[in-house]
Amino acid sequence: MSSLLPSVMVGSAIVCLVIKYYNSHIQPWFFSKVYNPSLAVYHVHCREIKRKHFESIKDHKSADPELRKKGALRILEIGPGPGYNFEFYPSKSELTAVEVNRFFEEQFFEKQADHPHIKMERFVVGFAEDMKDVPDNSVDVVVSTMVLCSVRSVEGALKEVHRVLAPGGKYYYWEHIREYKHFWIRLIQHLATYTFYDLVFGCSLNRRSDEIIKANKTGYSSVEQQRFRTPFSNKLFVFHSAHVKGIATK
């Protein structure tokens, strides 16, 4: 038994190194080069629903007097990836991205040419639960789509969003959630999350983000949200069809 101990220790060390390198290098690269571009299909199917959801952003007035004079807004998007939401932002918006994946930084600024109506202002590498480089009360609108499924703490992310929002600021969210109607779909979500899905994609299929936001422990002045299903005919998407969209106001 003692002769096996060194081999076990070496094997364990190798596994730990592989997992660490995967989380810090391979997974971020995979998301930026392979997985997120495939979300273009998702975006095409949901585009009009998203457009309606974000439509009221244009009616919001900036808390910054100078931006308000120009009819501009300061928007922060958490985890924008390749920028599928940029087309929905009002003209003259000044955009900051908080993105855990550093591989998206180059794409973020390249998108300026595709979206001349907004200004790509800052790209911050960081977590939704710890946006320390974003000042308190400095942002008019925060946006997250398909992000809360992968954060380490939904409550922590909501607290940070509340902190950076200016008084009266709004948080627009669009998230996939745990299946709320069909038991067998929910069961598969649990099995996938606790076996391979979280490890490979860094995503929890069974997260109850809608219930956590609705509980409103952070203290938003109002929370308006709606459950819905994405309009996919492909049965493979049934495990990913339950969603919530909403607006939380500080």
Side-chain angles (χ1 to χ4, degrees):
M1 188 65 141
S2 59
S3 62
L4 291 175
L5 188 58
S7 298
V8 171
M9 292 178 67
V10 171
S12 299
I14 292 173
V15 169
C16 289
L17 286 172
V18 169
I19 292 175
K20 182 178 180 180
Y21 189 79
Y22 174 80
N23 289 334
S24 62
H25 291 80
I26 299 176
Q27 189 186 68
W29 178 89
F30 174 78
F31 263 82
S32 66
K33 302 300 183 184
V34 180
Y35 180 71
N36 259 334
S38 72
L39 288 179
V41 176
Y42 173 93
H43 176 67
V44 168
H45 279 79
C46 298
R47 191 175 192 174
E48 290 310 309
I49 304 175
K50 290 172 76 175
R51 187 185 303 281
K52 290 178 181 178
H53 176 54
F54 293 126
E55 190 173 24
S56 62
I57 293 179
K58 71 180 187 303
D59 300 323
H60 191 67
K61 304 300 181 185
S62 179
D64 184 317
E66 293 303 315
L67 290 180
R68 194 161 58 245
K69 287 179 184 177
K70 297 187 292 184
L73 290 173
R74 184 169 290 117
I75 298 176
L76 183 152
E77 182 169 354
I78 304 171
Y84 292 126
N85 294 328
F86 296 170
E87 64 176 286
F88 304 125
Y89 298 152
S91 296
K92 304 177 184 178
S93 297
E94 297 183 1
L95 181 62
T96 294
V98 173
E99 172 64 69
V100 69
N101 191 336
R102 60 186 174 84
F103 287 98
F104 281 120
E105 182 169 8
E106 184 177 352
Q107 293 183 39
F108 175 74
F109 289 107
E110 287 176 350
K111 286 290 182 178
Q112 182 67 78
D114 298 330
H115 303 283
H117 69 293
I118 60 178
K119 178 183 177 182
M120 309 304 180
E121 191 171 44
R122 295 179 66 202
F123 185 95
V124 179
V125 179
F127 295 93
E129 311 93 311
D130 183 18
M131 298 188 286
K132 59 181 180 295
D133 292 323
V134 182
D136 296 358
N137 307 308
S138 63
V139 179
D140 299 308
V141 173
V142 174
V143 173
S144 76
T145 60
M146 312 285 279
V147 167
L148 296 181
C149 59
S150 59
V151 300
R152 293 168 295 183
S153 167
V154 175
E155 292 88 347
L158 294 174
K159 186 176 179 180
E160 276 292 87
V161 170
H162 188 274
R163 178 185 67 79
V164 303
L165 276 173
K170 296 184 180 294
Y171 171 39
Y172 286 74
Y173 55 93
W174 167 296
E175 303 289 339
H176 73 80
I177 55 175
R178 191 176 78 167
E179 172 59 38
Y180 50 83
K181 186 176 181 181
H182 303 291
F183 170 77
W184 66 275
I185 297 177
R186 188 161 61 246
L187 177 61
I188 293 176
Q189 287 180 328
H190 287 318
L191 292 174
T193 296
Y194 297 131
T195 53
F196 72 93
Y197 209 86
D198 192 15
L199 176 64
V200 175
F201 299 108
C203 168
S204 297
L205 285 171
N206 59 353
R207 187 157 284 179
R208 296 181 290 182
S209 299
D210 56 329
E211 296 180 18
I212 296 172
I213 298 172
K214 187 177 180 180
N216 195 20
K217 293 182 179 180
T218 307
Y220 289 92
S221 63
S222 67
V223 174
E224 299 177 7
Q225 67 177 24
Q226 176 187 5
R227 287 173 172 174
F228 69 102
R229 294 190 182 277
T230 48
F232 286 97
S233 57
N234 191 323
K235 291 183 179 180
L236 287 175
F237 285 96
V238 70
F239 307 109
H240 202 277
S241 69
H243 280 58
V244 66
K245 58 181 176 179
I247 305 171
T249 303
K250 182 172 178 177

